[in-house]
């Protein structure tokens, strides 16, 4: 329709129209107008269709399959090119990718979404950067092939620590925080923790401060990884002695925060995430009762150490280490070596 208001009203309630058409088996009437509205010249129309895009795409993806979604994915890049005038539209694109990504085939995710999100991380305002960092992690979760997942992880996650600008490197911490929410502690420790821990020596204090604030969660997730645990302890000691007063101040709360996280650690939820990841990635690790026993033993032992919370600097002596610490790394390496 030539009238902008008509298109705006249609876009505003398009997700409800999609639901009705899906129930009646008339999805062929949905695809063409959806694409037209996503490409509309009016920014308010594009925002209206984007606000509930995940609700619009759900029945389309369920009934039409991945072939249709391959045609939808490139439209996000067109919307990204038209988003330069408003950061809220950019943030909305990033958040919709996060909510929709599981509906798209891996080829579409690799070809279209990562590039858009990396662009937002580099050039967006802080709200856009944060949304794009979280969405990037969600996209990584949907890549089943091991070689592709690890290549994308290096290109779009780990590479952030080498960003020329501090606000880009900062997004690595936000992405790691998202990974702690999305992945099990095992997969977080394997894929996400090593890169973000490099930031303990970042030249910009704000980056180190943000890492210091997240470090208790990272330490708890990495509790049963001996090699990673050494890196965590090095980061704790370095940040505890930081020359910046804000960083040093944040580390004063490290022991208390860590103990609270240890006591509140949800083993059942972590096991459920690991089981889902095993099903998705064929890791061959979480089925091992031995792994779960070692994992939980490490955390519980840390909660009842004779010395209580970690001493200032976060160092754990050899005497205090639970026996499980020495066994986990070899178990993990053996299990992940054969990943799909």
């Amino acid at each position: 329709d030539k009238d902008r208001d008509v298109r705006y009203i249609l876009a505003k309630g398009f997700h409800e129209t999609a639901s009705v058409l899906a129930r009646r088996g008339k999805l062929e009437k949905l695809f063409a107008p959806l694409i037209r509205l996503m490409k509309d010249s009016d920014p308010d129309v594009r925002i209206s269709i984007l606000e509930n895009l995940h609700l619009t795409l759900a029945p389309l993806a369920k009934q039409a399959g991945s072939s249709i979604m391959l045609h939808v994915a490139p439209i996000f890049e067109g919307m990204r090119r038209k988003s330069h005038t408003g950061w809220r539209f950019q943030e909305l694109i990033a958040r919709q990718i996060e909510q929709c990504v599981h509906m798209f085939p891996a080829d579409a995710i690799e070809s279209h979404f990562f590039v858009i999100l990396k662009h937002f991380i580099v050039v967006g305002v802080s709200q856009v950067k944060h949304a794009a960092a979280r969405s990037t992690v969600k996209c990584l979760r949907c890549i089943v092939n091991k070689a592709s997942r690890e290549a994308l992880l290096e290109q779009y996650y780990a590479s952030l620590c080498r960003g020329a600008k501090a606000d880009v490197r900062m997004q690595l911490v936000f992405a790691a925080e998202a990974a702690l929410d999305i992945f099990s502690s095992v997969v977080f420790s394997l894929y996400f923790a090593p890169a973000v821990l490099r930031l303990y020596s970042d030249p910009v204090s704000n980056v180190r401060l943000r890492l210091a604030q997240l470090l208790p969660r990272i330490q708890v997730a990495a509790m049963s990884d001996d090699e990673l645990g050494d890196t965590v302890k090095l980061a704790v000691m370095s940040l505890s002695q930081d020359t910046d007063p804000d960083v040093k101040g944040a580390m004063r709360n490290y022991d208390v925060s860590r103990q609270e996280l240890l006591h509140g650690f949800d083993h059942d939820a972590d096991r459920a995430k690991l089981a889902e990841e095993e099903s998705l990635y064929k890791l061959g690790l979480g089925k091992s009762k031995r792994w779960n026993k070692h994992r939980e033993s490490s955390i519980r032992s840390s909660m009842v150490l004779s010395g209580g919370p970690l001493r200032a600097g976060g160092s754990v002596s050899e005497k205090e280490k639970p026996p499980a610490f020495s066994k986990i790394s070899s178990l993990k390496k053996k299990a992940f070596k054969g990943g799909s």
Side-chain angles (χ1 to χ4, degrees):
D1 196 285
K2 294 181 180 180
D3 192 319
R4 172 263 184 200
D5 291 342
V6 172
R7 301 197 308 276
Y8 174 79
I9 293 171
L10 176 63
K12 202 72 174 174
F14 199 81
H15 60 290
E16 297 177 358
T17 304
S19 178
V20 172
L21 290 176
R23 288 198 298 269
R24 296 180 180 180
K26 296 181 178 180
L27 286 174
E28 71 281 357
K29 295 184 178 181
L30 175 65
F31 186 68
L34 171 63
I35 299 300
R36 291 286 295 274
L37 291 169
M38 290 177 71
K39 292 181 174 181
D40 200 276
S41 59
D42 187 273
D44 290 335
V45 173
R46 295 197 303 272
I47 288 176
S48 295
I49 192 66
L50 192 59
E51 284 176 336
N52 295 295
L53 187 62
H54 61 293
L55 299 177
T56 300
L57 292 180
L60 187 67
K62 183 177 181 180
Q63 296 190 31
S66 60
S67 59
I68 292 294
M69 304 310 287
L70 283 170
H71 294 288
V72 175
I75 308 302
F76 280 88
E77 173 58 24
M79 298 180 81
R80 196 275 304 168
R81 288 195 295 268
K82 293 180 179 180
S83 70
H84 62 277
T85 57
W87 67 265
R88 288 184 177 82
F89 188 48
Q90 295 174 342
E91 182 185 24
L92 188 56
I93 291 174
R95 294 196 182 282
Q96 280 297 324
I97 289 177
E98 179 187 351
Q99 291 181 284
C100 297
V101 64
H102 64 282
M103 305 177 196
F104 289 85
D107 289 347
I109 298 171
E110 292 184 43
S111 300
H112 302 288
F113 292 162
F114 284 106
V115 175
I116 296 171
L117 296 170
K118 183 64 173 286
H119 174 79
F120 286 159
I121 288 173
V122 173
V123 306
V125 300
S126 60
Q127 295 93 329
V128 176
K129 290 178 186 291
H130 297 170
R134 182 176 181 86
S135 188
T136 296
V137 174
K138 195 66 176 289
C139 288
L140 286 167
R141 191 184 187 283
C142 296
I143 306 300
V144 175
N145 180 269
K146 183 176 184 289
S148 296
R149 185 171 63 251
E150 292 183 349
L152 291 166
L153 188 86
E154 171 59 32
Q155 185 176 359
Y156 294 105
Y157 170 78
S159 65
L160 294 177
C161 72
R162 300 187 293 273
K165 295 181 179 180
D167 61 350
V168 171
R169 300 194 299 276
M170 181 83 78
Q171 302 318 305
L172 184 62
V173 186
F174 284 100
E177 186 174 22
L180 281 164
D181 295 334
I182 293 170
F183 289 91
S184 70
S185 60
V186 177
V187 174
F188 171 81
S189 298
L190 180 74
Y191 284 127
F192 296 93
V196 74
L197 285 170
R198 297 175 199 165
L199 296 178
Y200 77 84
S201 59
D202 193 274
V204 177
S205 61
N206 282 346
V207 176
R208 302 196 304 275
L209 174 61
R210 189 67 189 89
L211 176 62
Q213 293 166 341
L214 187 64
L215 200 54
R217 287 191 68 187
I218 296 174
Q219 198 276 340
V220 171
M223 179 65 69
S224 49
D225 187 318
D226 202 16
E227 294 178 6
L228 191 59
D230 290 340
T231 306
V232 172
K233 286 184 285 182
L234 182 61
V236 170
M237 288 187 287
S238 178
L239 293 172
S240 296
Q241 300 167 11
D242 200 277
T243 56
D244 185 89
D246 291 331
V247 176
K248 190 178 290 187
M251 292 305 295
R252 291 193 191 102
N253 298 321
Y254 176 83
D255 291 337
V256 174
S257 298
R258 173 183 170 277
Q259 285 297 316
E260 289 176 351
L261 290 167
L262 283 169
H263 283 284
F265 189 84
D266 192 335
H267 295 283
D268 291 336
D270 196 55
R271 279 197 299 267
K273 287 181 182 179
L274 182 57
E276 189 175 351
E277 289 156 0
E278 279 198 324
S279 176
L280 191 63
Y281 306 138
K282 312 301 181 189
L283 298 176
L285 182 62
K287 292 178 183 178
S288 169
K289 292 181 180 178
R290 185 183 178 199
W291 158 258
N292 285 325
K293 183 178 179 180
H294 284 320
R295 165 72 191 154
E296 294 172 20
S297 173
S298 296
I299 292 178
R300 291 191 177 115
S301 295
S302 181
M303 292 164 59
V304 296
L305 292 177
S306 59
L310 284 179
R311 295 182 296 274
S315 179
V316 179
S317 71
E318 290 300 320
K319 184 178 180 181
E320 289 173 334
K321 277 189 179 181
F325 269 73
S326 61
K327 304 176 183 178
I328 295 304
S329 291
S330 59
L331 281 174
K332 284 174 65 178
K333 287 177 182 176
K334 181 178 179 182
F336 281 101
K337 188 178 292 183
S340 60

